[in-house]
Amino acid sequence: GAGVSQSPRYKVAKRGQDVALRCDPISGHVSLFWYQQALGQGPEFLTYFQNEAQLDKSGLPSDRFFAERPEGSVSTLKIQRTQQEDSAVYLCASSTDRGPGTGELFFGEGSRLTVL
Amino acid sequence: QKEVEQDPGPLSVPEGAIVSLNCTYSNSAFQYFMWYRQYSRKGPELLMYTYSSGNKEDGRFTAQVDKSSKYISLFIRDSQPSDSATYLCAMRKGGSQGNLIFGKGTKLSVKP
């Protein structure tokens, strides 16, 4: 596809359930980012991949959050034992790696997670 | 205090008005400054990108960066109802393609 594709668009989980959110970046984009956007807030950085390497995971809020990009393309964000405070929109973005600070981020439409 | 501060609004203006949006920041290491537009239930899309201080114009949009005051602005001239969205400022330190730090976003409504 032409843009970043995320699935599912909407997910309702009961507290304690595990969820997996998928991101399919723009073809050829080396860098991939995950952001969390709570209601009424700006996106907050979770983690960053360059190809299959996870170079920064400093934004992951707890060890219940795990992200992978095994073949350097599709990425999955997994949240174990979901809690109500995990309710948010999870945004994926990809970019070309053209040098320091030059890569424009292209965002997907997000996966909206509601934990009951 | 958050690294990037942005008034969440909401801001309501009549069609044709000039809109001024702004952010302040505390980290002098920020060198790349962006404005993103986010429509309801959509992902952010890049509007303007500025490196260091100065002005940049693109059609009806002008971005300004004043590093000495740690203050950035986005001006929208001849605002249209289609400009109704949330506007997010974002910034990044130099030296690496690291993560963006976003403001909270300002919700703008342009009334016909």
Side-chain angles (χ1 to χ4, degrees):
Chain A
V4 177
S5 178
Q6 291 189 246
S7 62
R9 288 291 318 279
Y10 302 92
K11 176 70 178 177
V12 178
K14 290 184 179 177
R15 188 160 52 96
Q17 280 185 332
D18 297 349
V19 300
L21 308 176
R22 176 190 167 105
C23 173
D24 204 335
I26 294 172
S27 178
H29 277 197
V30 170
S31 297
L32 185 145
F33 300 78
W34 283 98
Y35 284 81
Q36 180 190 58
Q37 187 173 24
L39 188 64
Q41 303 294 316
E44 294 206 354
F45 171 78
L46 293 177
T47 188
Y48 160 57
F49 290 85
Q50 192 169 86
N51 295 305
E52 68 278 4
Q54 190 174 21
L55 298 187
D56 188 346
K57 54 182 180 179
S58 62
L60 296 176
S62 77
D63 58 7
R64 296 185 297 104
F65 286 72
F66 172 76
E68 60 182 5
R69 194 185 184 198
E71 296 178 0
S73 178
V74 171
S75 177
T76 304
L77 176 67
K78 297 179 179 176
I79 310 173
Q80 296 177 320
R81 304 181 304 282
T82 52
Q83 300 179 5
Q84 284 189 318
E85 61 261 31
D86 300 335
S87 296
V89 176
Y90 290 86
L91 293 164
C92 177
S94 69
S95 79
T96 58
D97 187 7
R98 293 176 290 167
T102 61
E104 175 183 347
L105 294 192
F106 294 86
F107 283 87
E109 294 194 324
S111 291
R112 183 178 295 269
L113 172 65
T114 302
V115 181
L116 302 177
Chain B
Q1 184 191 9
K2 297 196 85 170
E3 281 190 288
V4 180
E5 298 281 356
Q6 183 176 11
D7 186 338
L11 182 62
S12 183
V13 301
E15 183 174 355
I18 295 174
V19 176
S20 172
L21 305 166
N22 54 73
C23 290
T24 57
Y25 63 95
S26 56
N27 193 334
S28 57
F30 289 135
Q31 292 190 25
Y32 299 92
F33 303 92
M34 299 115 196
W35 286 94
Y36 281 80
R37 178 174 63 196
Q38 186 174 27
Y39 291 114
S40 181
R41 298 188 180 266
K42 299 289 187 182
E45 56 178 337
L46 183 66
L47 264 184
M48 299 288 284
Y49 177 103
T50 310
Y51 171 70
S52 195
S53 283
N55 293 0
K56 187 172 183 179
E57 190 173 318
D58 184 2
R60 297 185 295 111
F61 298 89
T62 299
Q64 289 185 350
V65 174
D66 182 347
K67 291 190 74 179
S68 62
S69 302
K70 297 190 179 69
Y71 187 90
I72 71 171
S73 301
L74 178 71
F75 298 95
I76 308 174
R77 290 182 298 281
D78 187 25
S79 56
Q80 302 295 310
S82 58
D83 295 328
S84 298
T86 295
Y87 290 79
L88 298 152
C89 63
M91 44 200 81
R92 177 164 55 206
K93 300 172 189 176
S96 67
Q97 193 182 153
N99 49 296
L100 286 181
I101 307 297
F102 283 86
K104 200 179 269 197
T106 300
K107 187 169 185 178
L108 171 68
S109 178
V110 181
K111 304 293 188 186

